[in-house]
C-alpha cells in the first residue's frame, strides 16, 4: 500500500509540473501565480488517496489540487465531451488504460516522453526504471509515446 501511495504521489508530481508549465504558458501569468489543477477520476481508492494528500501536496509544491470524483460512466462521458468540445475544465484525467489509444488518435493528451526523460524536469524520487515496462506499454504508451502515468499497478 505504501508503494502505491508513493507511486500516486510521484505520478501527480510529474503531472503537476507538466500541467503547471502549460497553464502558465497558456495564461501568461507570472511564476508566482497560484496554480490549481482540476483532476477528474473514478470514485475509488487512488482518488480517495489523492484527496487525503492534497493539502500536503500543495504545501510541498505550491500547486493546489481540486479532485472531482464520479462513477466510471460519468467520468468517461465528462472528459470525452470536454475534449471533443475543446474545453479545459480538467487538467488531469485519471482514467482506464483502454482510453489512452482513443485519446492519442484524437491528439488529446500531452506527450510525456521527453518531459520525464529531460534532466531539467527530473523529479527527485522519480525513476522510470522503477515502473514495469510492460505495464507502461500496456496502459500508458500508444504509438511509441508516453501519454499517461500509472497510478496503481
Amino acid at each position: 500500500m505504501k508503494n502505491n501511495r508513493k507511486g500516486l504521489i510521484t505520478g501527480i508530481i510529474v503531472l503537476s509540473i507538466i500541467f503547471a508549465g502549460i497553464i502558465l504558458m497558456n495564461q501568461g501569468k507570472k511564476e508566482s501565480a497560484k496554480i490549481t489543477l482540476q483532476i477528474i477520476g473514478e470514485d475509488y481508492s487512488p482518488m480517495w488517496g489523492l484527496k487525503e494528500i492534497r493539502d500536503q501536496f500543495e504545501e510541498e509544491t505550491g500547486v493546489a489540487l481540486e479532485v472531482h470524483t464520479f462513477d466510471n460512466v460519468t467520468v468517461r462521458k465528462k472528459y470525452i465531451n470536454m475534449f471533443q468540445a475543446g474545453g479545459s475544465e480538467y487538467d488531469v484525467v485519471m482514467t482506464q488504460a483502454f482510453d489512452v489509444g482513443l485519446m492519442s488518435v484524437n491528439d488529446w493528451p500531452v506527450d510525456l516522453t521527453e518531459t520525464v526523460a529531460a534532466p531539467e524536469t527530473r523529479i527527485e524520487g522519480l525513476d522510470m526504471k522503477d515502473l514495469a515496462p510492460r505495464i507502461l506499454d500496456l496502459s500508458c504508451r500508444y504509438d511509441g509515446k508516453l501519454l499517461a502515468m500509472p497510478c496503481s499497478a
Side-chain angles (χ1 to χ4, degrees):
M1 185 67 150
K2 188 174 183 180
N3 284 340
N4 285 345
R5 185 174 177 180
K6 183 178 178 184
L8 176 64
I9 292 170
T10 301
I12 296 300
I13 290 170
V14 170
L15 292 173
S16 296
I17 289 172
I18 292 165
F19 286 106
I22 292 168
I23 290 168
L24 287 174
M25 285 188 303
N26 288 339
Q27 295 179 352
K29 293 184 177 180
K30 298 177 190 173
E31 285 185 46
S32 62
K34 181 170 179 167
I35 298 167
T36 301
L37 293 178
Q38 301 294 325
I39 303 169
I40 185 172
E42 189 177 341
D43 191 15
Y44 80 122
S45 57
M47 296 298 283
W48 302 336
L50 186 54
K51 286 180 179 181
E52 286 182 25
I53 64 161
R54 67 181 159 200
D55 291 339
Q56 177 187 350
F57 182 82
E58 183 174 1
E59 184 178 307
E60 291 178 11
T61 66
V63 177
L65 305 176
E66 290 289 330
V67 181
H68 307 272
T69 57
F70 304 94
D71 63 272
N72 64 339
V73 173
T74 302
V75 168
R76 193 165 193 265
K77 284 180 183 178
K78 281 182 172 286
Y79 69 74
I80 288 175
N81 287 339
M82 176 193 70
F83 286 135
Q84 288 176 333
S88 59
E89 297 91 303
Y90 302 107
D91 303 301
V92 178
V93 175
M94 304 268 286
T95 187
Q96 296 151 347
F98 59 76
D99 270 348
V100 172
L102 168 72
M103 291 181 177
S104 177
V105 297
N106 286 291
D107 293 322
W108 294 336
V110 173
D111 184 353
L112 305 173
T113 308
E114 292 180 20
T115 303
V116 298
E120 63 274 11
T121 58
R122 182 135 347 231
I123 297 165
E124 185 179 332
L126 174 65
D127 188 344
M128 294 299 287
K129 294 176 194 164
D130 291 340
L131 303 172
R134 290 184 188 226
I135 293 291
L136 291 174
D137 289 341
L138 176 67
S139 63
C140 301
R141 288 191 179 110
Y142 187 83
D143 200 23
K145 298 175 188 173
L146 181 65
L147 302 173
M149 295 292 288
C151 68
S152 58

